[in-house]
């Protein structure tokens, strides 16, 4: 007490009928349900200096008398208190009355509900409609929301360009989804592909499953996550308490039917890259570890952001993203000012700033819902499909994933515009995002990925050239090989030294 430190009290509740340690133990019988609580009380400086004298109160009304070297008891509440007095710990133990037990349970429930409500109340995200410029990034996110089969979005750009802000803002535009109550994998009550094994078996038996409405989940994968936390592993708590094997879902299970966001994706550990790729490709996650064998749905939209200055992505991961967008810092002074004003207003009062954009947000949300329903009816002509495959072939795109992504993205863009027929303009708007990161990098080619894609697209769609015509043009403009260059140099040298002996100087 000479240091005037706050006193620390540790309290634990006992159920009715539990034996009480020490003198004056509780009634004999079977132990009741154990309830645990931990409370830390910080007393003021004045109380610390005076000590605990006479009748005292702690928590719900424990009363007792101070006794040197002994214990004081009361039966008004079920607590065990440790007091610091004179440099020594003193214990006060009481038993719980049957009449006070419901009140204690009600108090515990109220405290738990208050804690849960305080943790769930988070600040509103920045309004999606108030993001200035970055049109390609916003369009890529919206198209993935319309059709999840596109395969996600990869955004690479300078730091401070709002990549993470836009990704978190798109969640407010997504509609609520119906989930099965008590399921850890966000199982759908109607789609068997998005059901866990337990829910699927219950539906097959004809049992009625309870459902609830919830927001589309957004799960962030941190760089420091372990493979067990991503895939899921053995539930240690259940194994220690009941001795049974139970599965604790990882981030992939929680991201089912939602968005998996990976910030600084180019710095992600290689082992986690392989795990995420397997789940993203098949839509399921298989776990084989610690005697557990389980397969659960893991269908999600994979969104990755990164700074190209910090490193490049592995080719395997780069190809798995459906769309690729490069963004840069806004250069227009007026737009930069608008960005700064919007961010300042949001930081000062997030709720008021969000309400100012509520009408725009609701209009965009309704447009997205209509596009999600309309995308199934959008048609793509055969001639258009042939041209898309021709562009992919001329760009030497490996596999047919690029062809399929272009078709799906063009359909989503047409549905977002309220049409049921894909046009050449729809393909031209999205072909750069779909194929720019799939082209082979050639250090001798002055054109980048997106510029090269747009050039080939113009040859096929605008100029009306055939595959053979464009291929001949590419062969003529292709850089010469080392052997051809050496032969050409030797020919020029022989032609220029006509009539001269070997080693004779030709002159200037």
């Amino acid at each position: 007490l000479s240091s005037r430190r706050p006193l620390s009290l540790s309290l634990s509740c006992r159920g009715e009928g539990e034996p009480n340690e020490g003198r004056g133990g509780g009634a004999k019988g079977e132990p009741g349900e154990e309830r645990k609580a931990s409370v830390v009380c910080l007393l003021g400086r004045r109380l610390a200096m005076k000590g605990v004298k006479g009748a005292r109160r702690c928590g719900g009304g424990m009363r007792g008398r101070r006794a040197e070297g002994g214990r004081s008891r009361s039966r008004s509440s079920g607590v065990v208190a440790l007091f610091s007095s004179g440099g020594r710990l003193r214990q006060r133990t009481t038993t719980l009355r049957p009449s006070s037990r419901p009140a204690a349970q009600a108090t515990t429930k109220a405290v738990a509900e208050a804690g849960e409500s305080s943790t769930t109340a988070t600040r509103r995200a920045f309004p999606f409609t108030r993001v200035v410029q970055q049109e390609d990034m916003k369009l890529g996110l919206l198209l993935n929301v319309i059709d999840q089969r596109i395969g996600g979005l990869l955004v690479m750009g300078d730091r401070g360009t709002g990549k993470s802000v836009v990704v978190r803002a798109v969640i407010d535009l997504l509609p609520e989804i119906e989930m099965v109550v008590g399921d850890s994998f966000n199982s759908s009550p109607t789609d068997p592909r998005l059901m866990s094994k337990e829910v699927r078996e219950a539906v097959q038996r004809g049992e009625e499953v309870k459902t609830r409405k919830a927001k589309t989940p957004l799960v962030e994968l941190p760089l420091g996550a372990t493979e067990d936390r991503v895939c899921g592993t053995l539930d240690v708590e259940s194994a220690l308490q009941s001795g049974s094997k139970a599965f604790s879902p990882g981030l992939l299970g929680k991201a089912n039917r939602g968005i998996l966001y990976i910030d600084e994706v180019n710095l992600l550990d290689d082992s986690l890259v392989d795990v995420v790729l397997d789940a993203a490709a098949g839509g399921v996650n298989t776990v084989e570890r610690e005697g557990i064998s389980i397969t659960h749905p893991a269908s999600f939209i994979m969104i990755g952001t990164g700074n190209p200055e910090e490193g490049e992505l592995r080719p395997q991961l780069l190809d798995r993203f459906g769309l690729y967008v490069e963004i840069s810092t806004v250069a227009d002074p007026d737009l930069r000012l608008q960005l700064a004003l919007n961010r300042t207003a949001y930081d000062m009062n997030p709720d008021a700033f969000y309400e100012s954009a509520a009408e725009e947000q609701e209009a965009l949300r309704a447009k997205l819902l209509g596009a999600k329903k309309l995308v199934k009816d959008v048609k793509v002509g055969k001639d258009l499909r042939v041209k898309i495959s021709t562009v992919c072939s001329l760009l030497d795109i490996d596999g047919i994933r690029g062809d399929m992504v272009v078709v799906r993205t063009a359909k989503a863009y047409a549905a977002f515009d309220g049409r049921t027929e894909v046009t050449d303009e729809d393909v031209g708007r999205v072909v750069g995002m779909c194929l720019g990161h799939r082209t082979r990098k050639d250090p001798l080619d002055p054109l980048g990925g997106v510029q090269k894609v747009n050039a080939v697209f113009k040859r096929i769609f605008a100029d009306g050239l055939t595959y053979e015509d464009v291929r001949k043009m590419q062969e003529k403009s292709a850089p010469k090989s080392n052997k051809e260059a050496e032969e050409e140099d030797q020919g020029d040298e022989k032609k220029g030294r006509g009539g001269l002996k070997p080693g004779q100087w030709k002159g200037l």
Side-chain angles (χ1 to χ4, degrees):
L1 293 178
S2 60
S3 62
R4 298 184 178 181
R5 294 180 179 177
L7 297 184
S8 176
L9 284 73
S10 176
L11 299 91
S12 62
C13 297
R14 286 191 172 89
E16 179 186 357
E18 288 186 35
N20 191 13
E21 295 182 359
R23 187 175 53 186
K28 296 181 180 180
E30 295 182 1
E33 179 183 359
E34 183 178 0
R35 294 179 292 111
K36 299 179 180 179
S38 179
V39 181
V40 177
C41 302
L42 298 179
L43 304 181
R45 179 182 301 179
R46 183 178 300 177
L47 182 59
M49 295 178 64
K50 289 183 178 180
V52 182
K53 295 183 179 180
R56 300 294 301 139
R57 278 187 175 269
C58 180
M62 182 184 66
R63 296 178 182 271
R65 288 191 303 241
R66 182 181 181 185
E68 289 294 333
R71 298 179 179 178
S72 58
R73 308 178 185 281
S74 174
R75 299 197 176 189
S76 60
S77 66
V79 295
V80 178
L82 296 179
F83 288 84
S84 176
S85 178
R88 292 177 297 176
L89 289 178
R90 313 188 64 184
Q91 184 177 11
R92 294 184 177 182
T93 309
T94 62
T95 57
L96 184 66
R97 285 184 177 180
S99 60
S100 63
R101 186 177 182 183
Q105 291 178 346
T107 304
T108 304
K109 182 178 180 181
V111 172
E113 291 178 354
E116 183 179 358
S117 62
S118 63
T119 55
T120 54
T122 57
R123 190 170 73 165
R124 286 178 177 268
F126 192 88
F128 188 86
T129 55
R130 292 299 174 89
V131 178
V132 180
Q133 281 200 342
Q134 316 299 3
E135 299 300 330
D136 288 344
M137 178 171 57
K138 294 191 291 185
L139 179 62
L141 286 170
L142 297 178
L143 295 181
N144 273 279
V145 171
I146 296 173
D147 190 355
Q148 185 177 339
R149 299 177 303 166
I150 291 176
L153 172 68
L154 175 62
V155 182
M156 301 296 288
D158 303 332
R159 50 187 175 273
T161 51
K163 301 183 291 294
S164 302
V165 173
V166 179
V167 174
R168 297 186 179 99
V170 77
I171 286 295
D172 286 340
L173 300 176
L174 302 183
E176 292 185 343
I177 59 177
E178 196 173 8
M179 301 179 182
V180 177
V181 176
D183 186 78
S184 303
F185 306 105
N186 306 329
S187 294
S188 170
T190 56
D191 193 349
R193 298 173 301 174
L194 302 176
M195 293 181 182
S196 62
K197 182 180 178 181
E198 293 77 9
V199 175
R200 191 183 307 111
E201 292 176 351
V203 172
Q204 292 175 354
R205 291 193 301 265
E207 300 179 5
E208 182 180 359
V209 294
K210 297 182 180 180
T211 60
R212 63 183 178 91
K213 291 283 188 177
K215 292 191 64 175
T216 303
L218 172 64
V219 178
E220 298 189 23
L221 177 59
L223 296 179
T226 61
E227 187 174 347
D228 291 346
R229 188 68 187 95
V230 175
C231 299
T233 184
L234 179 70
D235 190 347
V236 179
E237 182 179 0
S238 177
L240 294 177
Q241 291 181 353
S242 61
S244 61
K245 295 180 181 179
F247 179 71
S248 178
L251 298 180
L252 295 181
K254 296 180 180 180
N256 185 39
R257 304 178 64 196
I259 295 177
L260 180 66
Y261 174 46
I262 311 173
D263 194 11
E264 305 296 344
V265 63
N266 47 341
L267 303 180
L268 191 65
D269 188 72
D270 290 345
S271 60
L272 298 183
V273 169
D274 297 333
V275 171
V276 174
L277 290 183
D278 292 340
V284 295
N285 179 37
T286 302
V287 181
E288 299 282 351
R289 60 177 69 241
E290 285 90 18
I292 293 179
S293 178
I294 186 173
T295 299
H296 65 81
S299 178
F300 50 80
I301 301 174
M302 186 167 58
I303 306 297
T305 58
N307 187 353
E309 297 178 356
E310 298 175 351
E312 296 184 354
L313 279 174
R314 291 173 55 185
Q316 298 90 333
L317 184 60
L318 189 63
D319 184 64
R320 295 299 178 91
F321 285 97
L323 305 181
Y324 175 81
V325 172
E326 292 183 357
I327 61 176
S328 58
T329 306
V330 178
D332 191 296
D334 295 334
L335 295 179
R336 292 175 71 99
L337 175 61
Q338 186 63 41
L339 274 171
L341 293 177
N342 289 347
R343 186 65 198 188
T344 303
Y346 172 75
D347 292 337
M348 294 293 293
N349 194 339
D351 294 334
F353 185 74
Y354 189 89
E355 291 299 328
S356 65
E359 186 175 353
E360 301 172 3
Q361 292 277 111
E362 189 61 32
L364 183 56
R365 186 181 295 108
K367 188 176 181 180
L368 274 179
L369 292 177
K372 286 176 67 69
K373 297 178 181 179
L374 185 62
V375 69
K376 300 178 181 179
D377 301 328
V378 178
K379 305 296 181 183
V380 182
K382 184 178 179 180
D383 295 340
L384 201 58
R385 290 178 179 267
V386 171
K387 291 182 179 180
I388 293 174
S389 297
T390 303
V391 172
C392 294
S393 179
L394 291 172
L395 292 171
D396 297 326
I397 303 297
D398 295 332
I400 62 171
R401 186 178 287 127
D403 306 53
M404 300 175 65
V405 170
V406 173
V407 173
R408 291 170 180 172
T409 309
K411 292 173 64 176
Y413 184 77
F416 186 64
D417 201 27
R419 293 178 283 105
T420 58
E421 187 71 24
V422 176
T423 61
D424 294 355
E425 290 75 13
D426 299 334
V427 179
R429 180 64 181 87
V430 302
V431 68
M433 296 188 294
C434 299
L435 304 178
H437 59 297
R438 305 179 192 273
T439 58
R440 298 178 180 178
K441 295 184 178 180
D442 188 355
L444 300 178
D445 194 349
L447 294 179
V450 178
Q451 292 82 0
K452 187 176 181 180
V453 170
N454 292 331
V456 175
F457 171 82
K458 181 177 179 298
R459 297 290 187 184
I460 298 299
F461 282 80
D463 300 342
L465 300 180
T466 62
Y467 172 82
E468 290 77 11
D469 297 336
V470 178
R471 183 61 74 183
K472 291 179 180 178
M473 296 173 60
Q474 289 179 341
E475 292 176 356
K476 292 181 180 179
S477 59
K480 300 178 181 179
S481 61
N482 295 334
K483 185 176 180 180
E484 293 178 350
E486 291 178 359
E487 293 178 354
E488 185 175 353
D489 292 341
Q490 292 178 1
D492 294 341
E493 185 177 356
K494 292 179 180 179
K495 183 178 180 181
R497 293 182 59 85
L500 297 177
K501 296 180 180 180
Q504 184 177 358
W505 183 50
K506 182 181 179 180
L508 298 177

